[in-house]
Amino acid sequence: MRLFPLSALVLSLTALPVLAAEQGIAVPAGPLGAALSDLSRQTGISIGGDQILTGRHSPGASGPLTPEQALTRLLAETGLGFRKVGPDTYRLEPLPAPHLRPAADQGQAAPVEPIIVTATKRGASPVDLPVAVGWLTAADLARLGSTNPDAALPLLGAVGSTHLGPGRNKLAIRGLSDSAFTGQTQATVGLYLDNAKVNYNAPDPHLHLIDLDRVEVLRGPQGTLYGGGSIGGILRIVPAPPDLSERSAQARLSGSLTRDGAPGGGVEAVLNQPLLTDRLAVRLALYADREGGVIDAAGGRRNIDRTDTQGGRLLVAFVPIEDWRLELGGTYQLIDTDDSHYIQGRRGCCTRAAQLAEPHDNDFDEAHVTLTGSLPFADLHSTTAFVRHEIDSFYDASTAVLALSGLPARPALFHEAQLSRLWTHETRLTSKDDGDNGLNWLSGLYLSRQTANSSRRLTPAAESGTDLWRRDRVDEVKEAALFGELSWRFQPDWTLTAGGRLFHVAQEVEATARAPSAARAEGYTRETDYTPKLALSWQAWEDTSFYAQMTEGYRPGGINIEEAGPVTGDDYRTARFQTDELWNYELGTKLSLWQGRLMLDAAIFHALWRNIQTDQLRADGLTVTTNAGDGSNTGIEVTPRLHLGPWRLDATVILNDPELTRVARDFTGGADGGLPGASRLSGSASLSWRGQVTEGVNLLAALDYSHTGRTHLTFTNGISQGPVDLLGGRITLHGTGGWSLGVALDNILDSDANQFAYGNPFTLGAGPQATPVRPRTVRVSIGWEG
């Protein structure tokens, strides 16, 4: 990474307090989304909700007004009102209609779009952001009829996943995938639960999407704001905050039937309870879910791959004084899978040869404290979070006994266990709009410490206490960073944004071999560097903007002691894999046509990836971390949203050209397969209709389609998977009293496509493996809210 002079200057400038003179509110008339963003910047208030903004125009507001007075004026004649849900926090809601009309007479679709995206750490309407953004609102998630993240990911656009099983997958955005296997490399996608980072090198914890305000995606590297591990982008899950003024409750029961599979079902409950009106409230969400198995094993064992999930979230919000808010919260989730989800062979569903059971457990715990408030010159946000993530995986490694231990073959299990603890802290200041020269800034401090204890053991199936082969490892990673951004509106329609992140990373590792012989090794590495960002946006005309940006993402290198053996000396810094860096160059547009009925986001991007870190399988079935070489990905993504009366169409299409342009000298893989798991064509579409069918009964019907093109398991084209085409349908009835009834049909075409060509690392070389799509499944749910 080279030092970028302009961004370095910006970083130093943003570290200084920028004092804004107190003056009256001045928001000109114009599009409602832009007016709300202006008001948020000038006053520091947060405006949220899931109401449609495009096509609504605000008369503006000016003068010595309170934020609530200004918000009232901005919303005049827009059909929207607001409700205060916390200090300086407001939620937009539709004004009550005088009467219900039949669906055939409705001229406007139900509100479905979010108002403010906060993943950029400054609230703004998506049209104002010089970055490709995807999102699902609370209403979108409710329409899916499922809290399973696998149902939501295809609709976020350009977000892909492996399919090893819940709690075992790796995410990728825009095809920027380094490997299908999980090892020491940091994830390419930063996963956040509100403001808390929840992953490092562990797989996606598969958090269920219950009681959320929205899910946000920033596509492309986000190294300036989020640091290492955001080369592909950011996926942020935003829970619904406690409502300080109003009690509410929700409950849902569900059941499912799968062709030739075991039944499943689940229960969910949410309670929001103010304890001191406008001062103190709690919000509790609980859930339990069972996904029946579909894989049969030879010998009469049926539906062996059942998965049970249970979890919950508790949030407590306290407002000690006006303009300040303290939130305490915690999340837990337990995933228990009885056996793996793959079969032998290239496709088909769903039998597997007899072998030892391969269970998997994924236990996730998170706790955080967040303080937000308004200072005279800036808004303060501070979050401290702790994540505990414990993962246990078992594989039938009977065929690997000779290679690993030198002993005669026998039935044996390979147990891979990892316990990681991640502490993070971030404090940032965000400027208040000064109203004159259009300068806005943010600056922050980030600290983190991760400790991961991992153990890999090979034990006889009949003697669980005996180790034929064992390796233990302790990794500690510490990071400190200063970051900042400065946005300058140098013309009424032009904005320049520059930023940077100065970081220091220290890593230590201690590895121990315990069987069949004992040995020990240690290593350490340090790195200090800087990552920049530069973006230019142009508000060409009303509801239409263009942007150009260049951003960098990175992942620090690490220690690569795969086999602890005799060592000499004290310096092990050369036993490591290198830092990888990704530069992304992008041109994009966001526009609105036909009075807001058609909205279109489009982007052309070119990513240059140097020293790609990757986890690869060795011949003995173990993973090794190395640098594959250099790669690139050039692509186009188009996201149209069409609203015609009660009809709505949301779609995303992405074309990629991922390739490995240079093979590293020590990398044993080839370059003919491009980047692993990256398809050249993928997309999704959701068509829905919403309206009233009878007095007091409303109906929502939707069809969801997703396509993932053919991909390869590794950098070579030897093992392929896909293409995968999935079609699902949903119908939900909403009646009086808060009751709802939903029916969904997943995999309508009953596809048995191979969505992932991997299951067991020790038998992958013996023949093809496949993870078939779950057969056609019917889901029924009954819900209530009040």
Side-chain angles (χ1 to χ4, degrees):
M1 279 172 277
R2 297 189 297 270
L3 194 63
F4 200 85
L6 175 60
S7 295
L9 176 61
V10 169
L11 182 63
S12 63
L13 288 175
T14 56
L16 299 176
V18 180
L19 300 178
E22 295 185 3
Q23 51 190 294
I25 291 171
V27 179
L32 180 57
L36 292 174
S37 295
D38 281 348
L39 180 64
S40 178
R41 286 193 293 266
Q42 293 183 33
T43 63
I45 65 175
S46 176
I47 307 168
D50 54 8
Q51 310 307 315
I52 189 170
L53 296 183
T54 306
R56 301 181 192 264
H57 295 266
S58 171
S62 62
L65 307 172
T66 67
E68 291 190 6
Q69 290 172 335
L71 186 55
T72 300
R73 293 191 184 185
L74 293 185
L75 296 176
E77 300 181 0
T78 65
L80 297 177
F82 67 88
R83 178 165 58 93
K84 187 174 183 179
V85 295
D88 292 334
T89 304
Y90 301 86
R91 186 177 183 86
L92 297 190
E93 297 178 340
L95 294 175
H99 64 277
L100 291 172
R101 294 180 293 165
D105 296 332
Q106 291 181 346
Q108 176 65 43
V112 290
E113 293 193 358
I115 293 174
I116 302 297
V117 170
T118 56
T120 56
K121 302 188 178 182
R122 286 187 288 188
S125 173
V127 75
D128 296 330
L129 297 174
V131 62
V133 182
W135 66 86
L136 291 173
T137 68
D140 295 330
L141 295 168
R143 176 181 59 83
L144 289 175
S146 171
T147 59
N148 189 329
D150 288 342
L153 286 180
L155 303 181
L156 284 167
V159 181
S161 173
T162 62
H163 294 275
L164 190 58
R168 308 177 74 178
N169 297 322
K170 294 184 68 171
L171 301 177
I173 296 177
R174 283 183 171 174
L176 295 174
S177 172
D178 59 2
S179 169
F181 316 111
T182 300
Q184 296 302 316
T185 59
Q186 195 173 0
T188 61
V189 176
L191 180 61
Y192 285 77
L193 182 59
D194 205 354
N195 295 287
K197 184 175 183 177
V198 300
N199 69 330
Y200 189 82
N201 65 331
D204 171 28
H206 202 73
L207 296 176
H208 274 219
L209 306 181
I210 180 175
D211 192 36
L212 300 184
D213 186 76
R214 62 194 179 278
V215 179
E216 302 174 343
V217 171
L218 298 184
R219 305 184 191 119
Q222 305 297 322
T224 298
L225 292 180
Y226 288 95
S230 60
I231 276 181
I234 292 297
L235 176 62
R236 182 167 176 253
I237 300 170
V238 185
D243 189 331
L244 298 172
S245 60
E246 194 171 310
R247 184 182 185 275
S248 62
Q250 305 172 34
R252 189 169 77 101
L253 293 173
S254 62
S256 65
L257 291 174
T258 300
R259 181 184 62 80
D260 296 331
V267 58
E268 303 170 6
V270 178
L271 174 66
N272 184 93
Q273 179 64 59
L275 302 178
L276 295 174
T277 303
D278 294 333
R279 291 293 181 186
L280 179 64
V282 298
R283 192 174 187 95
L284 176 65
L286 297 171
Y287 58 93
D289 176 82
R290 168 168 292 181
E291 191 77 284
V294 296
I295 304 292
D296 296 336
R301 294 194 300 141
R302 291 181 53 81
N303 306 321
I304 60 176
D305 57 325
R306 181 182 70 187
T307 298
D308 290 322
T309 304
Q310 59 176 299
R313 181 189 309 119
L314 176 66
L315 298 176
V316 179
F318 175 54
V319 179
I321 58 175
E322 194 70 19
D323 298 336
W324 288 84
R325 181 186 179 103
L326 178 68
E327 180 181 282
L328 304 175
T331 299
Y332 85 95
Q333 181 174 275
L334 310 177
I335 300 177
D336 297 314
T337 301
D338 292 344
D339 211 326
S340 49
H341 300 280
Y342 71 97
I343 60 174
Q344 288 100 353
R346 297 190 181 278
R347 63 182 303 151
C349 195
C350 296
T351 59
R352 187 169 72 214
Q355 62 179 43
L356 301 175
E358 299 177 348
H360 173 80
D361 294 337
N362 187 306
D363 299 341
F364 176 88
D365 301 286
E366 179 269 347
H368 69 270
V369 55
T370 297
L371 176 66
T372 57
S374 178
L375 300 171
F377 61 92
D379 293 322
L380 172 72
H381 184 109
S382 181
T383 295
T384 300
F386 172 72
V387 171
R388 181 184 183 275
H389 200 177
E390 185 174 5
I391 303 169
D392 289 277
S393 299
F394 291 84
Y395 299 98
D396 183 346
S398 303
T399 59
V401 173
L402 178 62
L404 291 180
S405 67
L407 299 174
R410 69 188 74 177
L413 279 173
F414 187 85
H415 178 201
E416 189 171 26
Q418 177 173 308
L419 173 61
S420 65
R421 300 176 178 89
L422 176 62
W423 285 95
T424 58
H425 172 83
E426 180 177 296
T427 294
R428 65 179 183 267
L429 294 173
T430 306
S431 67
K432 298 179 182 294
D433 195 297
D434 63 15
D436 288 330
N437 59 7
L439 279 175
N440 289 283
W441 57 270
L442 71 83
S443 61
L445 167 70
Y446 174 81
L447 303 170
S448 72
R449 176 181 178 182
Q450 191 216 14
T451 303
N453 297 75
S454 59
S455 175
R456 297 176 296 169
R457 306 172 60 184
L458 180 68
T459 60
E463 306 172 43
S464 58
T466 302
D467 292 329
L468 303 177
W469 180 94
R470 179 171 177 174
R471 300 292 185 270
D472 294 339
R473 176 171 172 151
V474 179
D475 289 82
E476 183 176 68
V477 182
K478 300 177 182 178
E479 181 176 355
L482 293 172
F483 64 90
E485 270 192 7
L486 178 65
S487 294
W488 176 33
R489 191 170 62 247
F490 59 93
Q491 291 289 335
D493 300 324
W494 290 85
T495 301
L496 177 67
T497 301
R501 187 182 188 95
L502 178 65
F503 65 90
H504 176 77
V505 178
Q507 304 183 57
E508 297 182 8
V509 61
E510 182 179 297
T512 305
R514 302 188 184 278
S517 60
R520 187 171 179 272
E522 297 178 348
Y524 70 91
T525 181
R526 307 285 188 271
E527 182 174 356
T528 301
D529 216 323
Y530 177 79
T531 178
K533 169 184 178 179
L534 189 64
L536 179 67
S537 60
W538 173 41
Q539 192 77 30
W541 55 84
E542 187 178 28
D543 294 332
T544 300
S545 64
F546 298 88
Y547 69 89
Q549 65 153 312
M550 51 186 294
T551 57
E552 186 184 23
Y554 68 94
R555 292 184 297 178
I559 309 300
N560 194 21
I561 303 176
E562 292 303 318
E563 296 296 333
V567 293
T568 60
D570 297 323
D571 189 352
Y572 304 98
R573 287 175 293 180
T574 59
R576 56 171 297 185
F577 49 91
Q578 299 179 30
T579 295
D580 58 355
E581 308 159 7
L582 187 144
W583 273 98
N584 182 71
Y585 305 90
E586 185 169 333
L587 296 173
T589 182
K590 302 178 182 183
L591 55 88
S592 175
L593 302 171
W594 300 343
Q595 296 180 329
R597 293 185 179 91
L598 174 62
M599 292 161 286
L600 181 67
D601 294 355
I604 301 174
F605 60 88
H606 179 60
L608 296 176
W609 198 351
R610 182 170 176 267
N611 293 327
I612 299 173
Q613 296 179 23
T614 180
D615 293 310
Q616 294 294 302
L617 283 184
R618 303 189 322 191
D620 57 12
L622 303 178
T623 57
V624 60
T625 305
T626 186
N627 294 102
D630 300 339
S632 69
N633 188 23
T634 302
I636 301 174
E637 61 184 22
V638 181
T639 303
R641 302 178 185 89
L642 179 64
H643 303 265
L644 292 175
W647 291 92
R648 173 187 174 193
L649 174 65
D650 296 274
T652 297
V653 177
I654 180 167
L655 296 171
N656 284 313
D657 185 22
E659 57 181 345
L660 191 64
T661 57
R662 180 189 67 86
V663 180
R665 183 182 59 183
D666 298 329
F667 184 61
T668 57
D672 54 344
L675 300 182
S679 67
R680 297 188 179 273
L681 172 64
S682 62
S684 65
S686 178
L687 176 66
S688 62
W689 180 92
R690 185 195 301 248
Q692 183 180 0
V693 291
T694 63
E695 185 67 28
V697 178
N698 292 287
L699 180 142
L700 170 67
L703 280 176
D704 300 322
Y705 168 76
S706 66
H707 168 80
T708 303
R710 185 175 299 278
T711 62
H712 298 104
L713 185 68
T714 64
F715 288 92
T716 67
N717 60 11
I719 303 177
S720 64
Q721 52 206 19
V724 180
D725 293 277
L726 293 178
L727 180 66
R730 327 246 182 249
I731 295 178
T732 305
L733 290 171
H734 295 272
T736 57
W739 291 95
S740 64
L741 174 64
V743 179
L745 186 60
D746 299 339
N747 193 9
I748 292 176
L749 303 179
D750 205 23
S751 168
D752 65 350
N754 174 22
Q755 60 183 343
F756 193 48
Y758 170 68
N760 185 319
F762 301 103
T763 58
L764 185 60
Q769 299 175 2
T771 306
V773 176
R774 187 176 184 85
R776 185 185 295 120
T777 300
V778 179
R779 304 181 188 275
V780 179
S781 64
I782 300 175
W784 171 85
E785 59 180 293

